[in-house]
Amino acid sequence: MLKVPKTLLLSLLLAGCTQTSRAPTPSPIASFPTSTSPNSAPSTPYLISSEGIGEGRLGMKLGELKEKLGDRAQFGDSQPFIVDLNAIPVSMDGEVQYYILHFSAEPLTDRDPIPFLMTDNSQYRTAEGVGPGVAIAIAEQAYGDATLYYSVENESREFVRFANPPAPNLSFRTQGSPGDFAGIYEASAETSFYGTQQFRPDSAIASVFLDGYRP
């Protein structure tokens, strides 16, 4: 893993909260394809682990990944992803497999190590068969009770953490968005952080983040 001091931004991006709450009947969430059960462990090219996503590895130099994948993959241009982060899409056969993320103020060259990875491709799963498209209720079977949370200070991005996560540097984002969250929250003017263990039955994991700045 990379050992560097820049943790503040990712702490704000991916950190959980401890407050839980309840709310009245919500409106329907946006449709998202979900799996009703975890798949068996994926083959190595599609494995999500604490070290990487597929053949993309944290700490591997960008040029090394390009050389490893060769003509099998296409690397897109770096584009804004969220505040302070850019994303480089890695595609095969016209389909994005995963994204290499980096700080916007620090362009990633072929000589630089890969700091973050993210995928929303449902082919990619953890060893327990959990990944994009898997229902949160099913992921609980692998990782224990789920807590959904978001922070107003973090642009209200909604994440889910589990009681027994597969790795400390791996984070799951839901398909929820402001006004259409997957979690059921109680409105409050006293905090900018919201958390709940109640969520809609069709709630699913939308993407998985891997953080090379975490141990």
Side-chain angles (χ1 to χ4, degrees), residues 20-105:
T20 58
S21 57
R22 301 188 178 188
T25 303
S27 58
I29 60 174
S31 174
F32 191 88
T34 63
S35 296
T36 56
S37 62
N39 292 341
S40 57
S43 59
T44 300
Y46 299 103
L47 179 65
I48 299 172
S49 73
S50 62
E51 301 298 324
I53 297 176
E55 296 180 79
R57 318 297 289 177
L58 293 173
M60 172 189 286
K61 292 181 180 179
L62 178 59
E64 292 176 341
L65 180 60
K66 289 180 177 179
E67 183 177 354
K68 181 177 182 180
L69 295 179
D71 294 338
R72 292 182 293 138
Q74 300 77 47
F75 289 74
D77 294 332
S78 179
Q79 299 291 335
F81 175 61
I82 58 174
V83 175
D84 293 327
L85 285 180
N86 277 24
I88 300 171
V90 180
S91 301
M92 294 183 182
D93 298 323
E95 181 180 14
V96 175
Q97 304 297 300
Y98 47 85
Y99 297 85
I100 298 169
L101 307 183
H102 64 93
F103 290 108
S104 305

Side-chain angles (χ1 to χ4, degrees), residues 68-174:
K68 181 177 182 180
L69 295 179
D71 294 338
R72 292 182 293 138
Q74 300 77 47
F75 289 74
D77 294 332
S78 179
Q79 299 291 335
F81 175 61
I82 58 174
V83 175
D84 293 327
L85 285 180
N86 277 24
I88 300 171
V90 180
S91 301
M92 294 183 182
D93 298 323
E95 181 180 14
V96 175
Q97 304 297 300
Y98 47 85
Y99 297 85
I100 298 169
L101 307 183
H102 64 93
F103 290 108
S104 305
E106 300 177 3
L108 202 67
T109 72
D110 286 351
R111 299 184 300 275
D112 296 322
I114 294 171
F116 315 112
L117 290 163
M118 183 275 283
T119 186
D120 55 7
N121 188 320
S122 62
Q123 295 184 91
Y124 290 83
R125 303 293 173 96
T126 65
E128 295 76 25
V130 175
V134 170
I136 292 173
I138 299 304
E140 286 186 310
Q141 297 178 17
Y143 301 135
D145 291 342
T147 299
L148 281 68
Y149 62 91
Y150 72 92
S151 168
V152 175
E153 296 176 355
N154 184 26
E155 299 183 343
S156 297
R157 301 183 190 96
E158 188 180 45
F159 289 84
V160 54
R161 56 182 168 82
F162 297 95
N164 302 299
N169 67 331
L170 195 153
S171 299
F172 300 95
R173 188 169 177 182
T174 77

